[in-house]
Amino acid sequence: MNVQKLLIILCIVICYSCKEDKTIEPVKPTETVLIGEVIGRPDSKMLWMAKSYEDFRTDSVIKIPIVDSKFCYSFKTEAIESYQLAFEEEAERGAYRPITFFSEKDTITLSLNNNDKFDNNTLLGGKVNEEYTNFSKLMRDNFYSRYDSIREKYKAHNYKDFQSEAYNTLMTQLRLAKTQEEKVPLYKKRDKLQEEGLDKSELGKIKSLEEKAIHDEMVNYKYNYISKNPTLVSFDLLLTDMIGFDYMDVPLNKILEAYNTLKPKHSNHPYSTLSENLIFGITSLKPGGEYVNFTAPDTNGKQFELKSILENNEIVLLDLWATWCGPCIAKTRLAKPVYEKYKNKGFTILGVAGEHDDLKSYHKFMAKEQWPWQQLIELDKNNRIWEKYGIMNAGGAMFLIDKTGTILAVNPTAEELEAILEEKLVSNTLKL
């Protein structure tokens, strides 16, 4: 009896919880069956599963029991998409390495190891998964192993050795800060140091150049692969870079070229709409760009359109936030005095709370905070607002938008916000 058949029998006998996901109603169903074993993790009792572009913190998570180091699960989907698995204890900490697979109509056999043997994981089943596995191996052999060599080269150094004195001082201030409100301006200073290349020591700059050489070669290799293989795997690789555009360091021209190649070839796939929203966020949601309209409900279910709110005010600060996002809340608190100062001069704040499952946390938070401006609700990403604003799995962001729909600033500090309002609403009025 071969290993796959043995695992199937074991899952039938032991993993009695293996069942269809009844929350999904497919139009053209495909059934994916996961059969797996866990090696070297006797204390792991649960796997979490979600689509690769989803967030374990805010999206619906499927939980798969691990029984006697075995697991089994079957589900149906409308289309083949990329999914991620993570061990529950790591996912809860937010520190995990995802195990990626595609939801093909097939039996997918997995062997999952401890993190120190992550590269020994195996995945068998389906042509798309085979392509993804082969590509991942090429990347690991040609590039990731070279990153490991650099880490080995500098292993005698402390991480502070690679950072400038100014950056180390700033990080110490961040660690000592007692509130998120104290941290917000420090985050801004940190970002500025990084943008200006002043965050690294001389040793750090040398190491960074070595890593960048590998990174640039890897990006060229990947996008050459995408151009020659406009497959679903390539589309998934592109989406990963689009979602992480702010920190993936991929040239925009490569993103656009790949997008223009892949979207027409997969126009009926869910990735098509997602990529369209993401590309707009990357190219347009910046100062001078144009806002994205949406409609969302308040807590009573009454619908409001952003366009109408903009038309009734001179300038609106669109505040996308969540009760679990400490930095978001801190930035909003710092903006409150600015709101009080300019609320009768054509300025308002429109809050949109991104919540999951229910509004219990929101009502508890707002009973204490009592922010006076209008609040709308984005429950379970129903209106795809975060996606449309290019912050897929972030807690939130702020967009300062004028009456015409032009974006004036993205994530302004309270001081920057006040300076813009003073110029646009006060100085210009006095000139008139």
Side-chain angles (χ1 to χ4, degrees):
M1 185 180 294
N2 63 35
V3 174
Q4 185 173 1
K5 287 183 178 178
L6 178 60
L7 282 170
I8 291 172
I9 292 171
L10 285 170
C11 278
I12 292 172
V13 174
I14 298 172
C15 299
Y16 55 87
S17 60
C18 177
K19 57 181 183 292
E20 286 185 4
D21 179 8
K22 301 296 185 182
T23 64
I24 302 173
E25 298 178 2
V27 176
K28 295 180 180 179
T30 63
E31 185 173 14
T32 303
V33 180
L34 302 180
I35 303 287
E37 62 176 344
V38 176
I39 301 170
R41 301 188 66 128
D43 297 328
S44 294
K45 302 301 180 186
M46 193 76 70
L47 284 167
W48 285 11
M49 185 179 88
K51 292 179 181 179
S52 291
Y53 57 80
E54 293 180 334
D55 191 330
F56 284 140
R57 297 170 300 177
T58 57
D59 288 292
S60 296
V61 174
I62 294 170
K63 297 187 178 182
I64 305 173
I66 301 170
V67 180
D68 293 338
S69 297
K70 303 289 190 298
F71 63 90
C72 175
Y73 186 75
S74 68
F75 62 105
K76 294 180 179 180
T77 60
E78 293 182 14
I80 297 173
E81 293 189 68
S82 172
Y83 282 75
Q84 60 179 330
L85 291 170
F87 289 97
E88 182 175 64
E89 60 273 20
E90 296 173 356
E92 287 180 332
R93 294 197 305 268
Y96 61 90
R97 293 183 69 178
I99 302 103
T100 303
F101 70 92
F102 286 81
S103 57
E104 296 188 74
K105 186 178 181 180
D106 208 327
T107 296
I108 300 171
T109 306
L110 302 106
S111 177
L112 308 181
N113 293 267
N114 224 332
N115 277 335
D116 59 347
K117 295 184 178 180
F118 186 89
D119 290 341
N120 293 337
N121 289 349
T122 60
L123 184 155
L124 298 172
K127 292 182 179 180
V128 179
N129 280 306
E130 182 180 5
E131 181 191 348
Y132 178 78
T133 299
N134 290 338
F135 177 82
S136 298
K137 186 177 187 306
L138 284 170
M139 296 296 281
R140 184 168 63 248
D141 294 345
N142 291 331
F143 301 106
Y144 300 154
S145 59
R146 290 160 62 188
Y147 281 117
D148 292 338
S149 297
I150 291 177
R151 282 191 287 271
E152 182 68 19
K153 177 181 176 180
Y154 293 101
K155 69 178 182 179
H157 291 276
N158 185 285
Y159 72 94
K160 290 185 178 181
D161 295 340
F162 304 109
Q163 298 169 352
S164 67
E165 184 177 347
Y167 192 84
N168 281 324
T169 299
L170 188 58
M171 295 307 292
T172 299
Q173 292 173 341
L174 269 169
R175 285 191 292 272
L176 294 176
K178 295 179 180 179
T179 67
Q180 287 289 349
E181 286 81 354
E182 291 179 72
K183 292 180 181 180
V184 168
L186 296 175
Y187 286 139
K188 198 76 174 180
K189 290 179 181 179
R190 180 199 62 185
D191 295 344
K192 187 175 181 181
L193 283 176
Q194 293 173 340
E195 289 169 7
E196 295 176 352
L198 300 176
D199 58 318
K200 295 179 180 63
S201 65
E202 290 305 313
L203 182 65
K205 291 176 183 177
I206 294 171
K207 179 172 177 285
S208 180
L209 285 173
E210 293 176 3
E211 291 172 334
K212 182 168 174 48
I214 299 172
H215 170 80
D216 291 347
E217 187 180 340
M218 181 176 67
V219 168
N220 288 333
Y221 181 92
K222 178 165 64 174
Y223 280 83
N224 183 53
Y225 177 90
I226 290 173
S227 67
K228 293 180 178 179
N229 303 275
T231 62
L232 196 58
V233 169
S234 291
F235 211 168
D236 186 73
L237 295 172
L238 174 63
L239 284 175
T240 299
D241 285 352
M242 292 170 77
I243 291 170
F245 181 74
D246 288 341
Y247 55 86
M248 294 297 286
D249 192 21
V250 178
L252 179 58
N253 67 303
K254 290 188 179 293
I255 296 278
L256 292 173
E257 184 179 348
Y259 168 77
N260 290 328
T261 298
L262 289 165
K263 189 175 183 295
K265 293 183 180 295
H266 302 275
S267 58
N268 295 323
H269 194 277
Y271 286 176
S272 179
T273 299
L274 174 58
S275 65
E276 186 176 353
N277 286 333
L278 291 172
I279 206 71
F280 185 86
I282 291 170
T283 58
S284 299
L285 291 173
K286 53 189 177 183
E290 185 180 354
Y291 84 113
V292 182
N293 193 30
F294 62 81
T295 300
D298 63 12
T299 55
N300 297 316
K302 184 178 179 181
Q303 298 287 333
F304 291 87
E305 186 182 22
L306 175 57
K307 180 181 179 181
S308 297
I309 295 170
L310 290 174
E311 290 172 349
N312 292 323
N313 294 275
E314 294 300 319
I315 297 178
V316 175
L317 180 65
L318 175 61
D319 181 20
L320 307 180
W321 66 286
T323 53
W324 54 267
C325 179
C328 302
I329 293 168
K331 287 193 293 184
T332 306
R333 286 173 178 163
L334 292 171
K336 186 177 179 180
V338 183
Y339 167 80
E340 296 294 346
K341 184 175 179 179
Y342 293 91
K343 65 181 181 181
N344 296 321
K345 299 176 182 178
F347 171 67
T348 193
I349 297 176
L350 174 66
V352 183
E355 295 300 294
H356 181 53
D357 284 340
D358 56 51
L359 297 182
K360 291 179 182 177
S361 296
Y362 171 84
H363 287 305
K364 182 179 179 181
F365 175 87
M366 202 55 73
K368 178 181 177 182
E369 204 74 17
Q370 296 186 345
W371 289 338
W373 47 83
Q374 185 175 9
Q375 292 288 341
L376 303 180
I377 301 296
E378 173 72 330
L379 187 62
D380 295 328
K381 302 182 179 179
N382 285 336
N383 298 292
R384 305 176 79 159
I385 296 172
W386 265 240
E387 178 183 318
K388 293 173 182 177
Y389 273 82
I391 53 170
M392 278 281 292
N393 295 327
M398 288 179 167
F399 298 86
L400 190 64
I401 311 168
D402 72 11
K403 196 181 193 74
T404 68
T406 301
I407 296 174
L408 303 177
V410 178
N411 291 320
T413 64
E415 292 76 17
E416 291 168 342
L417 174 60
E418 183 166 4
I420 293 172
L421 295 179
E422 188 68 22
E423 177 189 354
K424 300 286 185 180
L425 300 180
V426 179
S427 298
N428 287 347
T429 301
L430 291 174
K431 290 176 183 177
L432 294 174

